[in-house]
Amino acid sequence: MGFALEHPLLEGALVRLEPLRPEHAAELAKAAEEDRDSYRFTWVPAADEVSGYIDAQLARAATGRLAPYAQIDQASGRAVGATAYWDPRLWPAPDGEERLSAIEVGFSWLAASAQGTGINSESKYLLFRHAFESWGVARIDLKTDARNARSRAAIEAVGGRFEGVLRNWSRSWAPGEEGRLRDSAIFSITAEEWPECRAALEARLGRFVSRARSNWAGG
């Protein structure tokens, strides 16, 4: 059989990535409403939109093009955001089967209190590692609104390499821009780059985990 997009449970020291379910709605609603100042260019539902958001993501998952996750803070056990694998691209193999060649990591957001804690870095690490080492992809794509300097910096911090800006590439999520297209900044990590990227991410995560464990001990 050819590749079928699945989303197994992925677990780290700071975050657990669980397949997104309606049961996550209440906690995600609280997470989304903490402080929305950083969501200017990102699709993050308001509290009363979370159930519809989850339904929409699960409908996309049913098409085989999306594998959505809830990001669970290991310290509190609460859902503090979402992320996903998206848009798998297949390539014919010599045996006639199609193999996964590339996939995007996206639809990512975190509660304000979870930002800067290492949860985003570890989520990306878990998703990248599974894609490269279990699925054997040749590349991972990441993209964001070209105007979103905060998101671009976060992507570069986890190893994404900037490739360029595609103009009028996808739907804008900025308030007041309904029905308009945005320019998208495109980043990637290739299989050849993954060992170096993995080492850098593990060093980065080590610092976050040490800080978190110190805080847990102090608490």
Side-chain angles (χ1 to χ4, degrees):
M1 293 181 61
F3 176 80
L5 182 59
E6 299 176 346
H7 47 340
L9 179 73
L10 301 174
E11 190 157 9
L14 302 174
V15 67
R16 183 172 69 255
L17 299 182
E18 295 181 356
L20 184 66
R21 305 187 307 274
E23 291 78 6
H24 293 123
E27 291 178 352
L28 289 179
K30 292 180 181 178
E33 291 299 329
E34 284 187 3
D35 182 345
R36 298 183 63 87
D37 287 349
S38 65
Y39 300 154
R40 182 180 174 192
F41 300 110
T42 305
W43 181 33
V44 180
D48 61 356
E49 298 171 334
V50 167
S51 291
Y53 165 86
I54 292 175
D55 288 344
Q57 293 295 73
L58 295 180
R60 289 182 176 89
T63 71
R65 295 192 63 216
L66 182 79
Y69 284 97
Q71 300 188 72
I72 310 299
D73 176 18
Q74 292 280 43
S76 67
R78 296 193 303 268
V80 293
T83 191
Y85 286 120
W86 169 239
D87 194 22
R89 298 200 300 284
L90 306 181
W91 191 257
D95 61 5
E97 295 283 358
E98 289 189 319
R99 299 285 187 266
L100 183 67
S101 63
I103 198 162
E104 182 175 334
V105 170
F107 288 100
S108 301
W109 62 271
L110 280 173
S113 61
Q115 296 173 22
T117 64
I119 285 178
N120 176 66
S121 293
E122 190 169 56
S123 289
K124 296 298 190 295
Y125 172 76
L126 295 171
L127 293 167
F128 295 169
R129 186 179 66 182
H130 186 77
F132 283 119
E133 299 180 13
S134 296
W135 288 337
V137 300
R139 75 176 259 144
I140 286 174
D141 303 328
L142 304 106
K143 67 176 185 286
T144 188
D145 192 305
R147 300 167 293 181
N148 193 341
R150 183 186 184 122
S151 179
R152 291 174 67 157
I155 291 172
E156 290 181 336
V158 297
R161 297 198 180 187
F162 178 62
E163 295 187 331
V165 172
L166 298 179
R167 297 176 296 168
N168 288 346
W169 180 249
S170 60
R171 173 182 175 179
S172 174
W173 298 104
E177 294 186 359
E178 291 77 7
R180 293 175 55 182
L181 296 174
R182 74 177 196 192
D183 295 347
S184 291
I186 308 298
F187 298 78
S188 71
I189 302 168
T190 67
E192 293 78 13
E193 295 162 352
W194 171 237
E196 180 180 354
C197 177
R198 174 174 177 158
L201 266 175
E202 288 176 347
R204 177 180 175 87
L205 283 171
R207 296 189 291 272
F208 279 116
V209 171
S210 294
R211 185 190 312 164
R213 286 175 175 163
S214 177
N215 291 338
W216 297 338

